[in-house]
Amino acid sequence: MKIKFYGFLFCFVVSLANAQEKADPSTSSSLMDASLSELSYFQAWLGDYVGLLGRELDGLISNEADLDEVNGSKVILVLPYTVHADGQQDFSPKVRGKIELPHTHKKWKLFVSSLNEEQTPKRISAQVGNEGEQTQVGAQVQLKKTLDLLNLLDFGFNAKGLELPAVYVRYKSIYYQKLGNEWRRRWFGKLFWESDLGVGLQLDVRHDHAVFKKVLFRADSQANWWDEGQYWDLYHDFILLHRISDDRSAAYFLGWNWNTQNQGLHLSRFSVGSQLRQRLYQKWLYFEIKPLVTWREETHFNEADPSITLQLEMQFYQSPKK
């Protein structure tokens, strides 16, 4: 398909050059302007299509990672049940949501989560597990929002069982960038402080490329800096996202995790898996199945840990007004 396209483009340019030699200069200029205008329109359409496809697939495949970009109020309840090959089982319900406060021009939201954002990387290659009983409650204020940029400030507390709640403050920035016709980049940065974890920094960069009409290739890299331990956690995923239909999507992925703790930069985990996500009812009830195989540093990467996760997800939000 690309060869035919480039061949057509070459012939098109040659024909324009020949026409320019024979035609009136004003006619040639008009023809060139019209051609460049059409080409510019195609470039803008393709760039927007990559971004739109990425966000549509995020809506089907992602469930918690991009809640910062949700407009209005939304609460997500996730019920994951995981079984490992050695018989170990885990059922760890999770809830995460934001409630938009009225009369604040859509800038202030209340936030609640059963996850610790700093200690739980929201990555598709991560294994679902029980992070312990904890609840984060706080507020979020929108500092700046444009078509491609979003700046947020979070603050609140994190309660872990009967321990004294820890106070946290987070500054987040999300930026979308077009890279030519076929690529789109998403930057995410977060500077945070928590009273029991100290200061930290998270940087995430995601590259999306539309391979086919409903298939997206994604390269996702993340780096977390922990000031207290003076080390980095590094993550990288290669993901192939396929929108099978309006109600069904699939993802196939490879994931790596490195860190610099104790012995310098070294590989600590490698994962391979897939994820099938089905919309069961309207746009609020989903079912997900995720087979995953993980190798870890603790077993010198000699023992695989196969697992499968069955997950039911419910999303609660106000339907858009018609």
Side-chain angles (χ1 to χ4, degrees):
M1 179 63 70
K2 286 189 174 181
I3 295 176
K4 292 182 179 179
F5 173 75
Y6 290 138
F8 168 77
L9 186 60
F10 175 76
C11 294
F12 176 68
V13 173
V14 171
S15 65
L16 283 180
N18 293 332
Q20 188 173 9
E21 293 179 359
K22 300 177 181 179
D24 180 74
S26 60
T27 305
S28 300
S29 178
S30 300
L31 179 61
M32 180 64 75
D33 290 341
S35 302
L36 290 176
S37 177
E38 289 297 322
L39 192 59
S40 177
Y41 173 80
F42 173 76
Q43 184 273 341
W45 171 84
L46 185 58
D48 291 340
Y49 177 76
V50 175
L52 180 61
L53 179 61
R55 296 195 184 196
E56 286 180 348
L57 283 166
D58 282 338
L60 280 173
I61 292 181
S62 301
N63 45 52
E64 296 173 301
D66 298 314
L67 191 58
D68 285 327
E69 300 174 72
V70 170
N71 294 320
S73 302
K74 190 171 190 177
V75 177
I76 301 174
L77 175 62
V78 181
L79 306 173
Y81 173 69
T82 303
V83 180
H84 296 260
D86 61 2
Q88 179 185 347
Q89 301 179 30
D90 180 69
F91 178 66
S92 50
K94 299 175 177 65
V95 62
R96 191 168 185 257
K98 292 179 182 177
I99 308 298
E100 187 174 86
L101 297 179
H103 311 299
T104 63
H105 303 286
K106 300 182 178 181
K107 290 188 175 181
W108 283 85
K109 295 180 181 180
L110 294 179
F111 174 85
V112 61
S113 175
S114 60
L115 298 173
N116 185 310
E117 285 200 6
E118 279 63 61
Q119 295 180 317
T120 310
K122 303 177 189 69
R123 312 196 63 80
I124 192 172
S125 62
Q127 199 164 48
V128 177
N130 190 350
E131 291 81 18
E133 295 182 5
Q134 53 185 307
T135 302
Q136 287 194 354
V137 178
Q140 182 179 86
V141 57
Q142 177 183 297
L143 302 178
K144 184 176 182 179
K145 184 177 182 180
T146 65
L147 185 63
D148 298 318
L149 177 66
L150 178 63
N151 292 336
L152 303 168
L153 180 67
D154 296 0
F155 55 90
F157 64 88
N158 179 26
K160 304 177 184 179
L162 299 178
E163 298 179 12
L164 187 66
V167 179
Y168 68 82
V169 180
R170 308 184 187 111
Y171 173 77
K172 304 176 183 178
S173 184
I174 302 171
Y175 177 64
Y176 282 93
Q177 181 183 17
K178 291 182 181 179
L179 302 175
N181 296 348
E182 301 178 347
W183 288 88
R184 188 172 176 88
R185 177 189 292 158
R186 175 189 183 271
W187 294 92
F188 175 81
K190 177 172 67 174
L191 179 64
F192 65 88
W193 171 82
E194 187 169 323
S195 56
D196 64 344
L197 294 176
V199 177
L201 175 68
Q202 178 181 326
L203 300 172
D204 188 290
V205 58
R206 174 196 298 172
H207 291 88
D208 287 345
H209 172 65
V211 183
F212 301 109
K213 186 176 180 180
K214 294 186 177 182
V215 178
L216 190 81
F217 169 76
R218 172 170 292 172
D220 196 355
S221 301
Q222 179 179 319
N224 295 346
W225 167 253
W226 302 94
D227 185 65
E228 184 176 8
Q230 293 289 300
Y231 71 94
W232 288 92
D233 273 325
L234 305 175
Y235 305 87
H236 185 75
D237 293 339
F238 284 127
I239 313 167
L240 195 65
L241 306 171
H242 181 202
R243 182 180 179 182
I244 302 171
S245 68
D246 290 342
D247 298 323
R248 182 177 300 170
S249 63
Y252 314 93
F253 55 86
L254 298 172
W256 294 263
N257 177 206
W258 300 264
N259 68 65
T260 62
Q261 196 172 18
N262 300 327
Q263 51 178 314
L265 182 62
H266 61 282
L267 183 67
S268 58
R269 180 188 59 85
F270 170 70
S271 299
V272 58
S274 62
Q275 176 178 296
L276 180 66
R277 186 170 170 86
Q278 174 71 43
R279 181 183 292 147
L280 297 180
Y281 185 71
Q282 295 184 355
K283 293 186 178 181
W284 65 270
L285 184 61
Y286 297 84
F287 175 75
E288 186 176 295
I289 181 169
K290 179 180 174 181
L292 180 71
V293 182
T294 303
W295 291 264
R296 296 184 177 82
E297 179 186 14
E298 293 82 359
T299 60
H300 305 286
F301 302 100
N302 292 324
E303 297 181 17
D305 178 17
S307 66
I308 186 167
T309 298
L310 307 178
Q311 177 173 292
L312 190 66
E313 177 184 321
M314 290 171 276
Q315 299 183 5
F316 304 95
Y317 56 91
Q318 184 177 11
S319 300
K321 295 180 180 180
K322 297 183 180 180

